[in-house]
Amino acid sequence: MTRMTPLGPDEPASHPYRLAARRSTAGDSAIDVGGRRIGGGDFALIAGPCAIETRDETIAIARVVRDAGATMLRGGAYKPRTSPYAFQGLGQAGLQILADARSETGLPVVTEVMDVRDVEAVAAVADMIQIGARNMQNYALLTEVGRARVPVLIKRGLSSTIDELLMAAEYVLKEGNAGVVLCERGIRTFETAYRFTLDLAAVAVLKTLTHLPVIVDPSHAAGRRDLVEPLALAAAAVGADGIIVEVHPDPDAAVCDGPQALRCDDFARFAARVQHVAAAAGERFAATAPA
Ligand code: PEP
Ligand code: MN
């Protein structure tokens, strides 16, 4: 976990993100998530469905991504949906499915929490708690996950600046939770040819500003399957500490985000290509698949 060192003599105590700032620790922080490291030279490949749909399907996806070298399983039990009538996730039942998928595959799990009232239940199951883009400035939620003893993945808000992302991290760090991972997932611009504009410059800039690991979500940025691989490779090349992608056995039947989901059948090839570029960027790709 992150080692916090005191501020240097030239460091104003009023620095708005003094714990997240690069100069507040000696080097890059590596975060331990259920036995897998993210950061400090360890590249995370996090994959899974957008939403947890059924137990059998989730375990099948987990096996596919584990066998291809993924280091963690993702999947939403609580889903932030633009329409209140859209599928909202399986909730507690989804958390139980994630726990089962972990026992079946050995993969640590990351899942989103949207409500302070669910933090305890999510933290009891998750190896890493996700704060979604729409909640990046939900300060009560950030404070609550800061009190949890589980690492936190903070996704950049749809229209948030790099400074605001670092300030969100600071809310979690300030509560004593040193396990913070940042995620660039695309921002709103004038462009409409894809879902969001993946800001890869932000990754390079964040690496100069903070010691925290920075990962990239090409799936939500692209919104289109055909763009996920080129953006993932670019993320690995620009120095990201990992990527998080959506995978589904039958994207046309997915309850959520099907058009951007990689097909299970294509995942091993995708993972091998990401591994290749991550290695070229000097990253270890911790493919620790237990027998
Ligand atoms: C997700 O990861 O499932 C998700 C909803 O992402 P974001 O918060 O980045 O939109
Ligand atoms: Mn999704």
Side-chain angles (χ1 to χ4, degrees):
M1 290 288 222
T2 313
R3 185 165 43 84
M4 300 292 178
T5 54
L7 296 172
D10 59 336
E11 190 100 24
S14 59
H15 194 293
Y17 48 86
R18 53 198 291 185
L19 298 174
R22 169 156 287 289
R23 55 194 163 170
S24 76
T25 62
D28 282 346
S29 294
I31 310 297
D32 186 316
V33 179
R36 317 291 162 101
R37 278 160 46 103
I38 304 182
D42 281 296
F43 191 90
L45 175 55
I46 307 171
C50 176
I52 300 301
E53 298 175 358
T54 68
R55 186 177 186 279
D56 287 355
E57 179 189 271
T58 305
I59 291 171
I61 296 170
R63 288 208 174 101
V64 166
V65 301
R66 192 265 320 260
D67 292 349
T71 54
M72 287 185 73
L73 177 68
R74 64 146 288 146
Y78 295 93
K79 293 304 303 175
R81 303 307 300 279
T82 304
S83 165
Y85 306 116
F87 175 66
Q88 304 285 309
L90 296 181
Q92 184 65 44
L95 294 178
Q96 185 53 52
I97 292 172
L98 275 170
D100 293 349
R102 173 179 45 215
S103 346
E104 291 281 334
T105 61
L107 288 179
V109 299
V110 56
T111 195
E112 178 163 353
V113 68
M114 300 200 305
D115 191 315
V116 287
R117 292 167 296 188
D118 297 321
V119 169
E120 206 178 317
V122 173
V125 169
D127 296 287
M128 181 157 68
I129 304 174
Q130 177 173 322
I131 298 295
R134 289 157 191 81
N135 271 314
M136 192 208 83
Q137 289 183 307
N138 182 335
Y139 299 122
L141 188 58
L142 292 167
T143 299
E144 200 61 27
V145 298
R147 292 172 184 160
R149 292 294 157 256
V150 182
V152 180
L153 175 65
I154 306 178
K155 301 189 83 175
R156 183 180 180 184
L158 278 54
S159 303
S160 296
T161 65
I162 291 170
D163 249 33
E164 288 164 344
L165 174 59
L166 289 166
M167 240 83 86
E170 196 73 13
Y171 268 89
V172 176
L173 296 168
K174 181 175 170 289
E175 295 304 316
N177 189 340
V180 176
V181 178
L182 305 175
C183 181
E184 163 59 35
R185 46 79 72 209
I187 51 173
R188 278 246 158 92
T189 68
F190 53 82
E191 187 52 71
T192 55
Y194 41 74
R195 200 171 175 192
F196 295 97
T197 297
L198 186 63
D199 183 6
L200 288 177
V203 179
V205 170
L206 280 164
K207 298 298 291 181
T208 71
L209 295 176
T210 179
H211 56 89
L212 299 171
V214 182
I215 69 168
V216 169
D217 177 345
S219 301
H220 288 90
R224 282 169 44 181
R225 182 175 310 115
D226 62 322
L227 299 182
V228 173
E229 179 171 314
L231 295 180
L233 299 181
V238 83
D241 297 292
I243 59 168
I244 179 167
V245 290
E246 292 187 343
V247 183
H248 198 279
D250 182 7
D252 291 340
V255 295
C256 181
D257 283 349
Q260 69 197 30
L262 296 172
R263 295 180 204 285
C264 283
D265 289 349
D266 298 334
F267 187 75
R269 183 185 156 282
F270 167 83
R273 289 174 59 87
V274 172
Q275 179 165 18
H276 191 73
V277 177
E283 295 282 319
R284 286 179 298 272
F285 191 90
T288 41

